[in-house]
Coordinates of all heavy atoms in Angstrom, one line a residue:
M1 N 47.1 118.4 109.2 CA 48.2 118.4 108.3 C 47.8 119.5 107.1 O 46.6 119.6 106.7 CB 48.4 117.1 107.6 CG 49.6 117.0 106.8 SD 50.2 115.4 106.4 CE 49.0 114.4 107.1
M2 N 48.8 120.3 106.9 CA 48.6 121.4 105.9 C 49.1 121.0 104.5 O 50.0 120.2 104.4 CB 49.3 122.7 106.3 CG 48.8 123.2 107.5 SD 49.9 124.5 108.3 CE 49.3 125.9 107.2
D3 N 48.5 121.7 103.5 CA 49.0 121.5 102.1 C 49.7 122.8 101.8 O 49.8 123.7 102.5 CB 47.9 121.1 101.0 CG 46.9 122.2 100.9 OD1 47.2 123.5 101.1 OD2 45.7 122.0 100.5
G4 N 50.3 122.7 100.6 CA 51.2 123.9 100.3 C 50.5 125.2 100.2 O 51.1 126.2 100.6
T5 N 49.2 125.3 99.7 CA 48.5 126.5 99.6 C 48.2 127.1 101.0 O 48.4 128.2 101.3 CB 47.2 126.2 98.9 OG1 47.6 125.7 97.6 CG2 46.4 127.5 98.8
E6 N 47.9 126.1 102.0 CA 47.6 126.6 103.4 C 48.8 127.1 104.1 O 48.7 128.0 104.8 CB 47.0 125.4 104.1 CG 45.7 125.0 103.7 CD 45.2 123.7 104.1 OE1 45.9 122.8 104.6 OE2 43.9 123.6 104.3
I7 N 50.0 126.4 103.8 CA 51.2 126.9 104.3 C 51.6 128.4 103.9 O 51.8 129.2 104.7 CB 52.5 126.1 103.8 CG1 52.3 124.6 104.4 CG2 53.7 126.7 104.2 CD1 53.3 123.6 104.0
V8 N 51.3 128.6 102.6 CA 51.7 130.0 102.1 C 50.5 130.9 102.5 O 50.9 132.0 103.1 CB 51.6 130.0 100.6 CG1 51.7 131.3 99.9 CG2 52.7 129.1 100.0
E9 N 49.4 130.6 102.6 CA 48.2 131.6 103.0 C 48.5 131.8 104.5 O 48.3 133.0 104.8 CB 46.8 131.0 102.6 CG 46.6 131.0 101.2 CD 45.2 130.3 100.8 OE1 44.4 129.9 101.9 OE2 44.9 130.1 99.7
T10 N 48.6 130.9 105.3 CA 48.9 131.3 106.7 C 50.1 132.1 106.9 O 50.1 133.0 107.7 CB 49.1 129.9 107.4 OG1 47.9 129.1 107.3 CG2 49.2 130.2 109.0
W11 N 51.1 131.9 106.3 CA 52.5 132.7 106.4 C 52.1 134.1 106.0 O 52.5 135.1 106.6 CB 53.5 132.1 105.6 CG 54.7 133.0 105.4 CD1 55.2 133.7 104.4 CD2 55.5 133.4 106.5 NE1 56.1 134.4 104.7 CE2 56.5 134.2 105.9 CE3 55.6 133.1 107.8 CZ2 57.5 134.9 106.7 CZ3 56.7 133.5 108.5 CH2 57.6 134.5 108.0
Q12 N 51.4 134.4 104.8 CA 51.1 135.5 104.3 C 50.3 136.3 105.2 O 50.3 137.6 105.4 CB 50.5 135.5 103.0 CG 51.5 135.0 101.8 CD 50.9 134.9 100.6 OE1 49.7 134.7 100.5 NE2 51.8 134.6 99.6
V13 N 49.3 135.9 105.9 CA 48.4 136.5 107.0 C 49.3 137.0 108.0 O 49.2 138.3 108.5 CB 47.4 135.5 107.6 CG1 46.8 136.1 108.8 CG2 46.3 135.1 106.5
F14 N 50.3 136.3 108.6 CA 51.0 136.8 109.7 C 52.2 137.6 109.3 O 52.7 138.6 110.1 CB 51.4 135.6 110.6 CG 50.2 135.0 111.3 CD1 49.8 133.8 110.7 CD2 49.7 135.6 112.3 CE1 48.9 133.2 111.4 CE2 48.7 135.0 113.0 CZ 48.2 133.7 112.4
K15 N 52.7 137.4 108.1 CA 54.0 138.1 107.7 C 54.0 139.5 107.6 O 54.8 140.3 108.1 CB 54.4 137.7 106.2 CG 55.7 138.2 105.8 CD 56.0 137.8 104.3 CE 57.2 138.6 103.9 NZ 57.7 138.1 102.6
E16 N 52.7 140.2 107.4 CA 52.6 141.5 107.2 C 52.6 142.4 108.6 O 52.9 143.4 108.7 CB 51.3 142.0 106.5 CG 50.1 141.5 107.3 CD 48.9 141.8 106.5 OE1 48.3 141.0 105.6 OE2 48.2 143.0 106.6
Y17 N 52.4 141.5 109.6 CA 52.5 142.1 111.0 C 53.9 141.9 111.8 O 54.0 142.3 112.8 CB 51.4 141.4 111.9 CG 50.2 141.7 111.3 CD1 49.3 140.7 110.6 CD2 49.4 142.8 111.5 CE1 48.1 140.9 110.2 CE2 48.3 143.2 111.0 CZ 47.5 142.2 110.3 OH 46.3 142.3 109.7
L18 N 54.8 141.3 111.0 CA 56.1 141.0 111.5 C 57.2 142.1 111.3 O 57.1 142.7 110.3 CB 56.7 139.6 111.2 CG 55.8 138.5 111.5 CD1 56.3 137.2 110.8 CD2 55.7 138.2 112.9
D19 N 58.1 142.4 112.2 CA 59.2 143.2 111.9 C 60.0 142.7 110.9 O 60.4 141.4 111.0 CB 59.9 143.4 113.2 CG 60.9 144.5 113.2 OD1 61.4 144.8 112.0 OD2 61.4 145.0 114.3
K20 N 60.4 143.3 109.8 CA 61.1 142.8 108.7 C 62.5 142.1 109.1 O 62.9 141.3 108.6 CB 61.3 143.8 107.6 CG 60.0 144.2 106.8 CD 60.3 145.0 105.6 CE 59.0 145.4 105.1 NZ 58.3 144.4 104.2
K21 N 63.1 142.8 110.2 CA 64.4 142.2 110.5 C 64.2 140.8 111.3 O 65.4 140.2 111.4 CB 65.1 143.3 111.5 CG 64.5 143.5 112.8 CD 65.2 144.5 113.6 CE 64.4 144.9 114.9 NZ 65.1 146.0 115.6
H22 N 63.1 140.4 111.5 CA 62.9 139.1 112.2 C 62.3 138.0 111.2 O 62.0 136.9 111.7 CB 62.1 139.2 113.4 CG 62.7 140.1 114.5 ND1 63.9 139.8 115.1 CD2 62.3 141.3 114.9 CE1 64.1 140.7 116.1 NE2 63.2 141.6 116.0
L23 N 62.0 138.5 110.0 CA 61.3 137.5 109.1 C 62.0 136.2 109.0 O 61.4 135.1 108.9 CB 61.1 138.2 107.8 CG 59.9 139.3 107.7 CD1 59.9 140.0 106.3 CD2 58.6 138.7 108.1
E24 N 63.3 136.2 108.7 CA 64.0 135.0 108.4 C 63.8 134.0 109.6 O 63.5 132.9 109.5 CB 65.5 135.2 108.1 CG 66.2 134.0 107.7 CD 67.6 134.3 107.4 OE1 68.0 135.5 106.8 OE2 68.5 133.4 107.5
T25 N 64.1 134.4 110.9 CA 63.9 133.7 112.1 C 62.5 133.1 112.2 O 62.3 132.0 112.4 CB 64.4 134.5 113.2 OG1 65.7 134.9 113.1 CG2 64.3 133.6 114.6
V26 N 61.5 134.0 112.1 CA 60.2 133.7 112.3 C 59.7 132.6 111.2 O 58.9 131.6 111.5 CB 59.2 134.9 112.4 CG1 57.7 134.3 112.4 CG2 59.6 135.7 113.4
A27 N 60.2 132.9 110.0 CA 59.8 131.9 108.9 C 60.3 130.5 109.2 O 59.7 129.5 109.1 CB 60.4 132.4 107.6
E28 N 61.6 130.4 109.8 CA 62.2 129.1 110.1 C 61.4 128.5 111.3 O 61.1 127.3 111.2 CB 63.6 129.3 110.6 CG 64.5 129.7 109.4 CD 66.0 129.9 109.8 OE1 66.3 129.7 111.0 OE2 66.7 130.3 109.0
K29 N 61.0 129.3 112.3 CA 60.1 128.7 113.2 C 58.8 128.4 112.8 O 58.3 127.2 113.3 CB 60.0 129.8 114.4 CG 61.3 130.2 115.2 CD 61.9 129.1 115.8 CE 63.1 129.6 116.7 NZ 63.7 128.4 117.4
Y30 N 58.2 129.0 111.9 CA 56.9 128.6 111.4 C 57.1 127.4 110.5 O 56.2 126.5 110.8 CB 56.5 129.7 110.3 CG 55.2 129.4 109.5 CD1 54.0 129.2 110.1 CD2 55.3 129.3 108.2 CE1 52.9 128.9 109.4 CE2 54.1 128.9 107.4 CZ 53.0 128.8 108.1 OH 52.0 128.4 107.3
V31 N 58.0 127.1 109.8 CA 58.2 125.9 109.2 C 58.4 124.8 110.0 O 57.9 123.6 109.8 CB 59.4 126.0 108.1 CG1 59.7 124.7 107.5 CG2 59.0 127.0 106.8
D32 N 59.3 124.8 111.1 CA 59.5 124.0 112.1 C 58.2 123.5 112.8 O 58.0 122.4 113.0 CB 60.4 124.4 113.2 CG 61.8 124.4 112.6 OD1 62.2 123.8 111.6 OD2 62.8 125.2 113.3
L33 N 57.3 124.6 113.2 CA 56.1 124.4 113.7 C 55.2 123.4 112.8 O 54.6 122.5 113.4 CB 55.4 125.6 114.1 CG 54.0 125.6 114.9 CD1 54.1 124.9 116.3 CD2 53.4 126.9 115.0
C34 N 55.1 123.8 111.6 CA 54.3 123.1 110.6 C 54.7 121.6 110.7 O 53.9 120.7 110.6 CB 54.3 123.7 109.3 SG 53.4 125.3 109.1
A35 N 56.1 121.5 110.5 CA 56.6 120.1 110.3 C 56.3 119.3 111.7 O 56.0 118.2 111.7 CB 58.1 120.1 110.2
D36 N 56.3 120.0 112.9 CA 56.1 119.4 114.1 C 54.6 118.8 114.2 O 54.2 117.8 114.9 CB 56.4 120.3 115.4 CG 57.8 120.5 115.7 OD1 58.6 119.9 115.2 OD2 57.9 121.6 116.3
F37 N 53.7 119.5 113.6 CA 52.3 119.2 113.4 C 52.1 118.2 112.3 O 50.8 118.0 111.9 CB 51.4 120.3 113.3 CG 51.3 121.0 114.7 CD1 51.8 122.3 114.9 CD2 50.5 120.5 115.7 CE1 51.8 123.0 116.2 CE2 50.4 121.1 117.0 CZ 50.9 122.3 117.2
G38 N 53.1 117.7 111.6 CA 52.9 116.7 110.6 C 52.8 117.0 109.2 O 52.4 116.3 108.4
T39 N 53.1 118.2 108.9 CA 53.2 118.7 107.4 C 54.2 117.8 106.7 O 55.2 117.7 107.1 CB 53.4 120.1 107.2 OG1 52.4 120.8 108.1 CG2 53.4 120.6 106.0
E40 N 53.9 117.3 105.6 CA 54.7 116.5 104.8 C 55.7 117.3 104.0 O 55.4 118.5 103.7 CB 53.8 115.6 103.8 CG 52.9 114.6 104.4 CD 53.5 113.5 105.2 OE1 54.7 113.0 104.7 OE2 52.9 113.0 106.1
D41 N 56.8 116.7 103.6 CA 57.8 117.4 102.9 C 57.3 117.8 101.5 O 57.6 118.9 101.0 CB 59.0 116.5 102.7 CG 60.0 116.4 104.0 OD1 59.5 117.0 105.1 OD2 60.9 115.5 103.9
E42 N 56.4 117.0 101.0 CA 55.9 117.3 99.7 C 54.9 118.6 99.7 O 55.0 119.5 98.8 CB 55.0 116.2 99.2 CG 54.5 116.3 97.7 CD 55.7 116.5 96.8 OE1 56.7 115.9 97.0 OE2 55.5 117.3 95.8
A43 N 54.4 118.9 100.8 CA 53.6 120.1 101.0 C 54.4 121.3 101.1 O 54.0 122.4 100.5 CB 52.7 120.0 102.3
F44 N 55.6 121.2 101.8 CA 56.6 122.2 101.7 C 57.0 122.5 100.3 O 57.2 123.8 99.9 CB 57.8 121.9 102.7 CG 57.3 121.9 104.1 CD1 57.5 120.9 104.9 CD2 56.9 123.1 104.7 CE1 57.3 120.9 106.3 CE2 56.6 123.2 106.1 CZ 56.7 122.1 106.8
R45 N 57.4 121.5 99.6 CA 57.8 121.6 98.2 C 56.8 122.4 97.4 O 57.2 123.2 96.5 CB 58.2 120.3 97.6 CG 59.5 119.8 98.2 CD 60.0 118.5 97.4 NE 61.1 117.9 98.1 CZ 61.1 117.0 99.0 NH1 59.9 116.6 99.4 NH2 62.2 116.6 99.7
D46 N 55.6 122.1 97.6 CA 54.4 122.7 96.8 C 54.4 124.2 97.2 O 53.8 125.0 96.4 CB 53.1 122.1 97.2 CG 52.9 120.7 96.5 OD1 53.8 120.4 95.7 OD2 52.1 119.8 97.0
A47 N 54.7 124.5 98.4 CA 54.7 125.9 98.8 C 55.7 126.9 98.3 O 55.7 128.1 98.4 CB 54.7 126.0 100.4
L48 N 56.7 126.3 97.7 CA 57.9 127.0 97.2 C 57.5 127.9 96.0 O 56.7 127.5 95.2 CB 59.1 126.1 96.7 CG 59.8 125.2 97.8 CD1 60.6 124.2 97.3 CD2 60.6 126.2 98.8
G49 N 58.2 129.0 95.9 CA 57.9 130.0 94.9 C 57.0 131.1 95.1 O 56.7 131.9 94.2
S50 N 56.5 131.2 96.4 CA 55.6 132.3 96.5 C 56.1 133.5 97.5 O 55.6 134.5 97.4 CB 54.3 131.7 97.2 OG 54.6 131.1 98.5
D51 N 57.2 133.1 98.2 CA 57.7 134.0 99.2 C 59.2 133.8 99.5 O 59.6 132.6 99.8 CB 56.9 134.0 100.6 CG 57.4 135.1 101.5 OD1 57.0 136.3 101.5 OD2 58.3 134.7 102.2
H52 N 60.0 134.8 99.3 CA 61.5 134.6 99.4 C 61.8 134.1 100.9 O 62.6 133.1 100.9 CB 62.1 135.9 99.1 CG 63.5 136.0 99.5 ND1 64.4 135.5 98.7 CD2 64.2 136.5 100.5 CE1 65.8 135.7 99.2 NE2 65.6 136.2 100.2
D53 N 61.3 134.7 101.8 CA 61.6 134.2 103.3 C 61.2 132.8 103.5 O 61.8 132.0 104.0 CB 61.2 135.3 104.2 CG 61.7 136.6 104.1 OD1 62.9 136.7 104.2 OD2 61.0 137.5 103.9
L54 N 60.0 132.5 103.1 CA 59.4 131.1 103.3 C 60.3 130.2 102.6 O 60.5 129.2 103.0 CB 57.9 131.2 103.0 CG 57.1 129.9 103.2 CD1 57.3 129.5 104.7 CD2 55.7 130.0 102.8
D55 N 60.6 130.5 101.3 CA 61.4 129.6 100.5 C 62.7 129.2 101.2 O 63.1 128.0 101.2 CB 61.6 130.2 99.1 CG 60.4 130.1 98.3 OD1 59.4 129.6 98.6 OD2 60.5 130.8 97.1
K56 N 63.4 130.3 101.8 CA 64.6 130.0 102.4 C 64.5 129.0 103.6 O 65.2 128.2 103.8 CB 65.2 131.4 102.9 CG 65.9 132.3 101.6 CD 66.4 133.5 102.1 CE 67.5 133.5 103.2 NZ 68.1 134.7 103.5
A57 N 63.5 129.3 104.3 CA 63.2 128.5 105.6 C 62.8 127.1 105.2 O 63.3 126.2 105.8 CB 62.1 129.1 106.4
I58 N 61.9 126.9 104.1 CA 61.8 125.6 103.6 C 62.9 124.9 103.1 O 63.2 123.7 103.4 CB 60.6 125.6 102.6 CG1 59.3 126.1 103.2 CG2 60.5 124.2 101.9 CD1 58.2 126.4 102.2
G59 N 63.7 125.6 102.4 CA 65.0 125.0 101.9 C 66.0 124.6 103.0 O 66.6 123.6 103.0
Y60 N 66.0 125.5 104.0 CA 66.8 125.1 105.2 C 66.2 123.9 105.9 O 67.0 123.0 106.3 CB 66.9 126.3 106.2 CG 67.6 126.1 107.4 CD1 69.1 126.0 107.5 CD2 67.1 125.8 108.7 CE1 69.8 125.8 108.5 CE2 67.7 125.5 109.8 CZ 69.2 125.5 109.8 OH 69.9 125.3 110.8
Y61 N 65.0 123.7 106.1 CA 64.3 122.7 106.7 C 64.5 121.4 105.9 O 64.7 120.4 106.5 CB 62.8 122.9 107.0 CG 62.1 121.6 107.3 CD1 62.3 121.2 108.7 CD2 61.3 120.9 106.5 CE1 61.5 120.1 109.1 CE2 60.7 119.8 106.9 CZ 60.8 119.4 108.2 OH 60.2 118.2 108.6
L62 N 64.3 121.4 104.5 CA 64.5 120.3 103.8 C 65.9 120.0 103.4 O 66.2 119.0 102.9 CB 63.7 120.4 102.4 CG 62.2 120.6 102.5 CD1 61.6 121.0 101.2 CD2 61.6 119.4 103.1
E63 N 66.9 120.8 103.8 CA 68.2 120.7 103.5 C 68.5 120.5 102.1 O 69.4 119.8 101.7 CB 68.8 119.4 104.4 CG 68.7 119.5 105.9 CD 69.3 118.4 106.5 OE1 69.6 117.4 106.0 OE2 69.4 118.5 107.9
E64 N 67.8 121.5 101.3 CA 68.0 121.5 99.9 C 68.3 122.8 99.5 O 68.0 123.9 100.2 CB 66.6 121.1 99.2 CG 66.3 119.6 99.5 CD 64.9 119.3 99.0 OE1 64.2 120.2 98.3 OE2 64.5 118.1 99.0
D65 N 69.0 123.0 98.3 CA 69.2 124.3 97.7 C 68.0 124.6 97.0 O 67.4 123.8 96.2 CB 70.4 124.2 96.6 CG 71.8 124.2 97.5 OD1 71.8 124.6 98.6 OD2 72.7 123.6 96.9
V66 N 67.2 125.8 97.4 CA 66.0 126.1 96.8 C 66.3 127.3 95.8 O 67.1 128.3 96.2 CB 65.1 126.5 97.9 CG1 63.8 127.1 97.3 CG2 64.7 125.5 98.8
D67 N 65.9 127.0 94.6 CA 66.0 128.1 93.6 C 64.6 128.8 93.5 O 63.7 128.2 93.0 CB 66.4 127.6 92.3 CG 67.7 126.9 92.2 OD1 68.6 127.5 92.8 OD2 67.8 125.9 91.4
Y68 N 64.6 130.0 94.2 CA 63.4 130.8 94.2 C 63.5 131.9 93.2 O 64.5 132.4 92.8 CB 63.0 131.3 95.6 CG 64.2 132.0 96.3 CD1 64.4 133.3 96.1 CD2 64.9 131.3 97.2 CE1 65.5 133.9 96.7 CE2 66.0 131.9 97.8 CZ 66.2 133.3 97.5 OH 67.3 133.8 98.0
D69 N 62.3 132.3 92.6 CA 62.3 133.3 91.5 C 62.7 134.6 92.1 O 62.1 135.1 93.0 CB 61.0 133.3 91.0 CG 60.8 134.1 89.7 OD1 61.9 134.7 89.4 OD2 59.8 134.2 89.1
D70 N 63.7 135.1 91.6 CA 64.1 136.6 92.1 C 63.1 137.6 91.9 O 63.1 138.7 92.4 CB 65.5 137.0 91.4 CG 66.6 136.1 91.8 OD1 66.6 135.6 93.0 OD2 67.6 136.1 91.1
E71 N 62.1 137.3 90.9 CA 61.1 138.3 90.7 C 59.9 138.2 91.7 O 58.9 138.9 91.5 CB 60.5 138.0 89.2 CG 61.5 138.1 88.1 CD 62.2 139.4 88.1 OE1 61.4 140.5 88.1 OE2 63.4 139.5 87.9
I72 N 59.9 137.4 92.6 CA 58.9 137.4 93.7 C 58.6 138.7 94.3 O 59.8 139.3 94.8 CB 59.2 136.3 94.8 CG1 59.2 134.8 94.1 CG2 58.3 136.3 95.9 CD1 59.7 133.7 95.1
D73 N 57.4 139.1 94.4 CA 57.2 140.2 95.0 C 57.4 140.3 96.5 O 56.7 139.4 97.1 CB 55.8 140.7 94.7 CG 55.2 142.0 95.3 OD1 56.2 142.8 95.9 OD2 54.2 142.3 95.2
E74 N 58.3 141.0 97.0 CA 58.7 140.8 98.5 C 57.4 141.2 99.3 O 57.4 141.0 100.6 CB 59.9 141.7 98.9 CG 61.1 141.3 98.2 CD 61.6 139.8 98.9 OE1 61.4 139.8 100.2 OE2 62.1 139.1 98.1
D75 N 56.4 142.0 98.8 CA 55.4 142.4 99.7 C 54.2 141.5 99.6 O 53.1 141.6 100.2 CB 54.8 143.8 99.3 CG 55.9 144.9 99.5 OD1 56.6 144.7 100.5 OD2 56.0 145.8 98.8
Y76 N 54.4 140.4 98.8 CA 53.3 139.5 98.6 C 53.0 138.6 99.7 O 53.6 138.1 100.5 CB 53.6 138.6 97.4 CG 52.6 137.5 97.1 CD1 51.3 137.9 96.7 CD2 52.8 136.2 97.1 CE1 50.4 137.0 96.5 CE2 52.0 135.1 96.8 CZ 50.7 135.7 96.5 OH 49.7 134.7 96.2

């Protein structure tokens, strides 16, 4: 089971190698995979605020409106 920091760090490792036009889809699949392996909703909430695409995918998974900071560095 992953915590919020591990979710973000793993996403960031792979994100830089992905085609930007597929980031949203891959982020959703990544969150689904984490959930399938038992990641708790609280860990996803802890991961919010570090990456725009990941935040959107987590919000979609949790079925919540996620307010992410517009100042997030897209290259982070």
Side-chain angles (χ1 to χ4, degrees):
M1 189 169 359
M2 298 173 72
D3 66 24
T5 301
E6 293 169 332
I7 292 169
V8 172
E9 289 177 358
T10 303
W11 171 249
Q12 290 173 347
V13 166
F14 292 105
K15 180 181 177 178
E16 67 183 88
Y17 298 102
L18 300 171
D19 187 339
K20 291 191 184 281
K21 64 184 175 186
H22 299 292
L23 284 177
E24 185 175 329
T25 302
V26 175
E28 290 176 8
K29 296 295 184 184
Y30 171 65
V31 169
D32 288 342
L33 180 66
C34 290
D36 288 346
F37 283 111
T39 300
E40 302 287 334
D41 289 356
E42 189 60 35
F44 288 121
R45 286 185 188 92
D46 290 344
L48 291 171
S50 62
D51 181 87
H52 173 79
D53 297 301
L54 185 57
D55 286 355
K56 285 176 59 176
I58 291 171
Y60 180 75
Y61 171 75
L62 296 175
E63 297 179 351
E64 297 176 359
D65 289 329
V66 175
D67 293 326
Y68 47 85
D69 187 359
D70 290 336
E71 300 298 318
I72 293 174
D73 183 5
E74 290 293 324
D75 294 329
Y76 180 60

